[in-house]
Amino acid sequence: DLSDHAAPPPAPTGRLARTLQSWFMHPARIAAVETLSPRFRLIELQEEAPRNLDWTVGDKIQVAVGTGLAARTYTPMAWDRTRGSTRILAFAHGEGPGSHWVREARRGYDCRFFGPRRSLDLSAPGAPVLLFGDETAFGLAAALRGTSASDVIPIFEVSDIAESRRVLDALDLVEAELVQRRADDRHLGQIEAEMAVFAQAGPPIVLAGKASSIQRV
């Protein structure tokens, strides 16, 4: 866990932004932050809202970032209605407001989120599950591991294999296969071939992450 930061993040500017957030987003507080690698952080949000909201594996939330109405989408890894908490794996992969929020998140900071909203209903997908995605799908794989489909076969395209392996090991996803991302997308041919072998057994297939990679696969 990381201790409180010297200064909290700025509040939304403008009456409209503040009003819309208060109408449509649930207030929460960051209860814990754990740094798994330079770009990955486990963030726990805690407040009354998770106690009263229904969530199934695959649902998403949108967390407000920055000073306007910008938000970033995350797939919760877990949802504890008893404690009123949810946990996300956040990936800071650029210099935009979402990545800035991930880097600056500290225990005790207030935030707001929208959802959960239905995305993929994976509450009982059967086992095993073949999952293809990128770094943004690590949290989804961890959430799937917590369902009855404990046998998850993850294949990820990633930009840094060493960093990704470190994060996946921390999430107990040691069996995940990592394929180095290439600018010309030639790595997708390897992924297609391996998925075709697994698919012959007829498992449920979940595709997540980069839109163009999903379309091709």
Side-chain angles (χ1 to χ4, degrees):
D1 291 358
L2 297 181
S3 60
D4 297 345
H5 196 266
T13 57
R15 179 180 299 177
L16 177 60
R18 293 194 300 270
T19 299
L20 290 176
Q21 282 199 7
S22 66
W23 281 357
F24 299 109
M25 290 187 152
H26 308 289
R29 178 161 293 177
I30 296 177
V33 179
E34 181 182 356
T35 299
L36 300 183
S37 77
R39 295 186 295 171
F40 287 87
R41 307 180 84 189
L42 278 173
I43 300 176
E44 180 181 347
L45 306 180
Q46 190 167 20
E47 199 49 77
E48 288 301 315
R51 300 180 190 270
N52 305 315
L53 298 172
D54 292 326
W55 173 81
T56 59
V57 174
D59 287 356
K60 296 181 179 180
I61 63 172
Q62 290 179 292
V63 179
V65 299
T67 57
L69 293 175
R72 293 297 180 268
T73 301
Y74 296 99
T75 301
M77 296 170 53
W79 194 276
D80 189 333
R81 295 186 67 174
T82 301
R83 295 182 61 244
S85 66
T86 184
R87 189 169 55 154
I88 60 174
L89 177 66
F91 177 46
H93 56 87
E95 299 301 327
S99 294
H100 179 75
W101 181 82
V102 173
R103 296 188 185 99
E104 295 299 315
R106 296 292 187 276
R107 186 179 64 220
Y109 277 8
D110 292 329
C111 63
R112 286 184 176 271
F113 71 90
F114 174 78
R117 60 182 178 84
R118 183 59 52 87
S119 179
L120 298 168
D121 185 0
L122 303 175
S123 55
V129 173
L130 177 58
L131 170 64
F132 165 71
D134 60 9
E135 292 93 340
T136 63
F138 290 179
L140 174 59
L144 269 171
R145 174 55 57 79
T147 70
S148 59
S150 59
D151 189 7
V152 182
I153 304 170
I155 302 177
F156 296 115
E157 56 169 345
V158 300
S159 59
D160 188 322
I161 287 183
E163 180 184 25
S164 296
R165 179 60 65 192
R166 174 181 172 185
V167 173
L168 292 169
D169 286 351
L171 299 178
D172 195 26
L173 291 167
V174 297
E175 76 285 0
E177 179 174 353
L178 302 179
V179 178
Q180 182 70 49
R181 183 183 290 112
R182 302 183 61 153
D184 58 7
D185 282 345
R186 280 194 293 169
H187 65 284
L188 291 177
Q190 174 187 343
I191 292 172
E192 290 168 353
E194 296 190 20
M195 289 188 66
V197 173
F198 285 119
Q200 291 179 3
I205 298 175
V206 178
L207 306 177
K210 185 179 177 183
S212 60
S213 296
I214 291 174
Q215 290 170 353
R216 173 168 169 176
V217 171

